[in-house]
Amino acid sequence: MVQLMPDEEVLEVLKTVDDPELTNVSVYDLGMVYSVVLNGGHVSVTMVPTFAGCPALDFIERDVKKAIEHLPWVDSCEVKFSFEYQWTTDLITDRGKVQLRKLGISPPPDHYRVGEEWTVDCPYCSSSYTSMENVFGPTACRSILYCLDCRNPFEAMKPVIVEEETA
Amino acid sequence: MSKIIKTPEEAKQNQSYKAALVELLYQFADDDFIISFRGSEWLGLAPHIEEDVAFSSITQNTMGHATMFFQMLEELGEGDADHLAHGRSPGERRSSVYLEKMNGSGSYIEDANYDWALAVVRNFLYETLKRVKLEAATRSSYEPLIFIARKILMEQTYHLAHWRLWIQQLQASTEEAKAKISARLEEAWQEFGDAIELGPKADDIHRFDLLIDEETLKKRWLEKVNEVLAEKYESLPKKKLGNGRIGEFNADLEQAIDIFTAVYRTDVEAAW
C-alpha cells in the first residue's frame, strides 16, 4: 500500500463527502474545494460555494469537518467558505460529471461562454434531441429538461461562468 | 481611483468611509430581503407550476444574496446577521418603499388576491437595477464587495433573463395583458423613485468609489429598462409612497415584518 501524504489523505476524504442534495457526487468532484492547509494536527479547508443561496452550505461545512476530524492524526478541522474565488461549472471534475449523469443530471457544457447557444445531451440515452422545460429546477444550480428520444424527464446543471469584463 | 480597502478592519479605520459603506450595504441587503419576502408569498400561487418552481428558486437565491450582505454588515460590526434581518424596526430599514408594497389584497393563506402584473413589473424593474448596481460594485473600492458582486452577477443573469422574458411576452400578448402591464408601469413610475437613489450618503458613496454616482446609476437603469419596454419612458420614477432610503415606510412593511419575524420571535437564540 502506498503511504499517502497527509494533504493527499485529506483530499481522499473530501472525495467521499457528498453534496447533501447530490448523492454520490462529492464536494471535491463538484469543484468546491479551493485549498487545504495543514498546521500540525489542525486542518483548514477553504471552500467555494456553488450558488450563494444554497441552503446546503451549513450541512456541507458540518459533513466536511466531521469527515476530516475522523482521520486519526487530525485534532481539529476548520471549514470556511470564501467568496474571493469564483466557483464555475468548469471546476466539476470528469468523475463528477460521470456521477451526475448517474443521478439523471446532465453536466454543464464544457467551456461555455455567455450568450452561446446551450445544448444538453440526455444523461440516459445521450441524445441531443432534448427540450428545456424550465431553466429553474429543484435546486438553484439545476434546470429541468425532457428527452424527446427516450421520453425521460431529466435535469441539468446550469452553466455558471465568470463573465468577461464588459467595457 | 481610490485605494482598495481589503478587509472590514481596514474599512473601520476611516469612520466616514465605513459609514458610507454600511449605508450602501443596508440598501443592498434590505432590498434583496424584502423583495424575496414578497416573492415567497407567491409560493403555490404563481400562474402555473413551472413558474412556481422558477419564481421560488429565484426568491430563495435572492434571499441568499441578502444573507451575504447581512454577513458583510456583521463583519463591519453592525451586529448579528440574523438580528439585522429580523430584529430591526421598520424605521431602521433602508429598502425601497415600492419593494415593500403588498402583492395585492388578502394574505397568502386566505383570499390571496395577488396581481401577477405587479410581480412581473416590480421584479423586472428591480432586477435591472440590481444588475446595474452590481456591475458598478465590481469596481468598488471595498474588495469584499467586489467578490460578492461578481458572485451574485453570475447567478442573477438567470433572474433578470426570466423577468425580461415575462415583460416581453406580456407586452406582446392580449390587450388585457398589455393594459395590465402598462397600468403597473404607470404606477411604478409614481413609486419606484427611492429604489434608484443611494440615500443621504450618496455623495460619500461616490466620493469613496464604493459605487457610481446617483445620476449615472439612474441614467443606466433607465437605458436598460427602455431596451425592453414597449413604450419608452423619458422621465425617472417619482417617490409617491415615500423614501425608504431615509427610513420612511408605511403599513405594508409593518405587515411584512410581523409575518416574517413570527417564527424568529418564538426563540431568537435558536440556530436554524
Side-chain angles (χ1 to χ4, degrees):
Chain A
M1 193 184 143
V2 183
Q3 183 64 45
L4 291 176
M5 297 296 285
D7 52 341
E8 290 172 331
E9 223 178 324
V10 170
L11 290 180
E12 287 307 311
V13 168
L14 288 168
K15 288 178 190 173
T16 67
V17 179
D18 289 354
D19 180 301
E21 293 182 312
L22 296 166
T23 312
N24 292 326
V25 189
S26 73
V27 292
Y28 176 87
D29 286 318
L30 282 171
M32 295 176 72
V33 178
Y34 180 77
S35 71
V36 173
V37 177
L38 306 181
N39 187 358
H42 180 73
V43 182
S44 301
V45 183
T46 301
M47 302 187 69
V48 284
T50 53
F51 271 71
C54 179
L57 295 183
D58 286 347
F59 294 97
I60 292 172
E61 181 181 331
R62 182 199 62 192
D63 294 350
V64 167
K65 185 174 155 65
K66 200 172 147 197
I68 292 175
E69 285 181 347
H70 203 67
L71 285 168
W73 54 270
V74 173
D75 298 325
S76 59
C77 171
E78 177 199 30
V79 179
K80 79 173 186 225
F81 285 98
S82 171
F83 293 103
E84 193 171 332
Y85 319 103
Q86 311 288 305
W87 180 81
T88 74
T89 38
D90 287 339
L91 294 172
I92 299 174
T93 65
D94 288 342
R95 185 185 145 77
K97 289 175 185 172
V98 170
Q99 293 304 100
L100 282 169
R101 281 196 198 92
K102 286 186 189 164
L103 290 177
I105 301 171
S106 280
D110 290 330
H111 314 301
Y112 175 80
R113 294 285 162 264
V114 164
E116 275 180 5
E117 204 169 313
W118 163 34
T119 59
V120 185
D121 295 346
C122 174
Y124 302 113
C125 73
S126 305
S127 168
S128 54
Y129 187 34
T130 61
S131 70
M132 171 76 77
E133 298 291 307
N134 198 336
V135 173
F136 298 94
T139 70
C141 57
R142 282 138 77 181
S143 300
I144 302 170
L145 295 92
Y146 187 73
C147 178
L148 296 149
D149 256 333
C150 72
R151 306 270 159 188
N152 274 304
F154 66 95
E155 293 173 18
M157 296 282 285
K158 283 190 187 106
V160 173
I161 54 141
V162 180
E163 289 181 40
E164 276 142 42
E165 193 85 349
T166 48
Chain B
M1 189 69 200
S2 307
K3 175 172 168 269
I4 295 285
I5 304 293
K6 289 188 176 292
T7 62
E9 289 65 39
E10 214 182 315
K12 283 186 218 167
Q13 284 166 18
N14 179 341
Q15 276 311 309
S16 38
Y17 182 90
K18 194 205 128 187
L21 171 61
V22 160
E23 191 70 26
L24 178 65
L25 293 177
Y26 272 121
Q27 294 171 18
F28 270 120
D30 288 342
D31 279 356
D32 268 354
F33 190 70
I34 197 71
I35 202 160
S36 303
F37 171 72
R38 289 299 176 211
S40 74
E41 290 187 305
W42 271 100
L43 184 61
L45 301 170
H48 52 81
I49 185 78
E50 295 299 338
E51 181 55 31
D52 224 30
V53 173
F55 196 4
S56 53
S57 177
I58 291 171
T59 294
Q60 185 191 45
N61 208 33
T62 303
M63 191 66 93
H65 299 165
T67 306
M68 289 160 72
F69 288 119
F70 283 128
Q71 279 165 353
M72 285 175 84
L73 285 161
E74 181 177 319
E75 286 160 10
L76 284 159
E78 288 294 294
D80 170 64
D82 281 340
H83 168 78
L84 297 178
H86 293 102
R88 285 150 64 231
S89 67
E92 289 176 277
R93 292 176 190 262
R94 293 291 173 268
S95 35
S96 155
V97 186
Y98 173 76
L99 302 180
E100 297 160 5
K101 187 183 166 92
M102 293 192 353
N103 289 312
S105 61
S107 80
Y108 63 95
I109 298 167
E110 259 179 287
D111 305 320
N113 188 21
Y114 291 175
D115 183 41
W116 188 243
L118 170 60
V120 169
V121 167
R122 173 154 64 186
N123 281 283
F124 164 68
L125 297 180
Y126 178 68
E127 295 287 9
T128 307
L129 172 69
K130 184 169 165 178
R131 182 138 208 106
V132 172
K133 286 175 77 171
L134 288 171
E135 280 174 352
T138 61
R139 294 170 185 81
S140 178
S141 61
Y142 188 54
E143 198 172 56
L145 179 59
I146 297 177
F147 297 145
I148 296 277
R150 282 187 196 151
K151 176 78 187 158
I152 297 178
L153 277 170
M154 289 161 79
E155 306 173 357
Q156 198 254 356
T157 303
Y158 291 103
H159 304 183
L160 179 57
H162 183 79
W163 296 113
R164 281 176 80 123
L165 190 63
W166 263 109
I167 281 275
Q168 284 164 332
Q169 293 287 318
L170 291 177
Q171 285 182 151
S173 179
T174 62
E175 289 309 312
E176 188 191 359
K178 286 180 197 170
K180 282 188 172 182
I181 290 295
S182 180
R184 284 297 182 182
L185 282 168
E186 283 300 310
E187 176 193 70
W189 249 258
Q190 296 301 312
E191 301 174 352
F192 194 73
D194 59 344
I196 53 176
E197 292 188 359
L198 296 170
K201 297 202 186 299
D203 288 343
D204 274 357
I205 289 171
H206 178 224
R207 182 164 68 90
F208 290 123
D209 278 323
L210 288 162
L211 208 74
I212 47 177
D213 68 282
E214 210 173 72
E215 292 316 306
T216 308
L217 172 66
K218 289 176 178 177
K219 192 170 143 269
R220 287 188 193 167
W221 172 80
L222 190 63
E223 279 170 14
K224 288 280 174 201
V225 292
N226 274 335
E227 282 174 14
V228 181
L229 296 182
E231 290 166 59
K232 314 295 175 205
Y233 280 85
E234 283 177 16
S235 65
L236 289 161
K238 298 189 173 70
K239 294 176 274 189
K240 195 176 140 194
L241 296 177
N243 183 356
R245 301 294 188 226
I246 57 170
E248 289 176 358
F249 63 93
N250 58 36
D252 288 21
L253 178 61
E254 293 175 293
Q255 176 263 356
I257 293 174
D258 190 50
I259 293 175
F260 69 63
T261 61
V263 177
Y264 177 75
R265 279 182 278 123
T266 61
D267 183 359
V268 294
E269 301 298 326
W272 299 98

